[in-house]
Amino acid sequence: SQQGEEDPQALSIQEGENATMNCSYKTSINNLQWYRQNSGRGLVHLILIRSNEREKHSGRLRVTLDTSKKSSSLLITASRAADTASYFCAPSTGTSYGKLTFGQGTILTVHP
Amino acid sequence: KAGVTQTPRYLIKTRGQQVTLSCSPISGHRSVSWYQQTPGQGLQFLFEYFSETQRNKGNFPGRFSGRQFSNSRSEMNVSTLELGDSALYLCASSPGQDAQPQHFGDGTRLSIL
């Protein structure tokens, strides 16, 4: 596995706005996962995107993957106060199995 | 399906003691991974067990150990506790193949006095 670096470190928006956070990594990957963590809780899996995919959607979430730039982005549309959380990406080289390596994450605050 | 269950939720120990944390994975999941989360170091991978065997290991001292039972339940043990071991310890389970989502428990909050 390898570590992803999330950017920005913190993001503050109003309810109804869109939130975009980015993830960069250093070497070729097999897949990349995004997770959310509410304060003091465990991580929740959001989306897994494979290296041969460019975009994936799940509800209000849209994830893109650009393997040429070694980067991924997570877009949350029409944000809600309940989306307030930390968001982490976890790129994987394909032999990581249960070993995920996380960066410091993006702290998203959505103001009502 | 019940989620990943970690016990206890909170634990207070003193330096030099040892502690055992427990994790019950989702039924049918054979892989259990452990992570340590601290404000300074973030989320760090400790180890992964699959079918009772350690399959991956992070960069932690030998004071941190784990095991997995035949029913896939896992325990981790920390001996000779240090102040720096204060953290949220998370476990995650998955069926065990690569490129599969990890399902996390809500963790055990360990405080060392």
Side-chain angles (χ1 to χ4, degrees):
Chain A
S1 64
Q2 63 172 293
Q3 184 170 326
E5 295 296 335
E6 296 89 352
D7 174 72
Q9 288 187 330
L11 184 58
S12 182
I13 60 174
Q14 296 295 129
E15 254 189 343
E17 294 181 337
N18 295 343
T20 299
M21 49 207 90
N22 305 295
C23 169
S24 60
Y25 54 91
K26 290 188 166 48
T27 63
S28 296
I29 61 170
N30 174 274
N31 67 84
L32 185 144
Q33 301 183 50
W34 283 92
Y35 287 83
R36 181 189 79 228
Q37 184 180 32
N38 292 91
S39 182
R41 304 293 298 274
L43 280 73
V44 174
H45 179 263
L46 297 176
I47 285 184
L48 183 152
I49 186 165
R50 299 180 189 277
S51 59
N52 60 353
E53 298 174 308
R54 290 297 167 259
E55 190 170 307
K56 253 185 136 168
H57 296 256
S58 176
R60 294 183 295 111
L61 306 180
R62 172 181 165 240
V63 166
T64 60
L65 179 64
D66 187 333
T67 53
S68 66
K69 294 181 179 177
K70 293 185 172 57
S71 69
S72 174
S73 68
L74 169 66
L75 167 68
I76 304 174
T77 59
S79 295
R80 305 166 181 168
D83 294 326
T84 294
S86 293
Y87 291 81
F88 299 90
C89 69
S92 174
T93 54
T95 57
S96 306
Y97 297 102
K99 178 180 180 179
L100 296 179
T101 307
F102 298 96
Q104 292 298 315
T106 293
I107 300 172
L108 172 66
T109 303
V110 182
H111 300 279
Chain B
K1 238 182 191 181
V4 176
T5 303
Q6 291 188 245
T7 56
R9 284 283 282 131
Y10 302 93
L11 205 47
I12 299 174
K13 293 285 187 179
T14 56
R15 280 181 297 174
Q17 288 187 311
Q18 76 163 14
V19 68
T20 299
L21 312 182
S22 179
C23 174
S24 293
I26 289 173
S27 178
H29 285 188
R30 295 166 64 193
S31 166
V32 174
S33 298
W34 289 89
Y35 296 83
Q36 180 196 66
Q37 186 174 29
T38 60
Q41 299 298 317
L43 270 164
Q44 293 185 285
F45 172 80
L46 280 155
F47 30 67
E48 179 205 7
Y49 286 87
F50 177 76
S51 292
E52 302 179 67
T53 301
Q54 189 178 83
R55 181 160 68 175
N56 277 302
K57 189 177 188 306
N59 296 322
F60 277 80
R63 299 186 298 107
F64 292 82
S65 62
R67 58 178 176 167
Q68 186 179 35
F69 302 95
S70 58
N71 61 357
S72 292
R73 190 177 71 84
S74 177
E75 289 181 347
M76 69 163 280
N77 184 276
V78 187
S79 62
T80 320
L81 286 165
E82 300 175 359
L83 292 177
D85 297 333
S86 293
L88 179 66
Y89 290 88
L90 295 165
C91 85
S93 76
S94 77
Q97 305 308 309
D98 198 33
Q100 290 179 313
Q102 301 285 305
H103 299 264
F104 284 77
D106 278 337
T108 293
R109 172 75 62 185
L110 175 63
S111 299
I112 312 301
L113 303 179

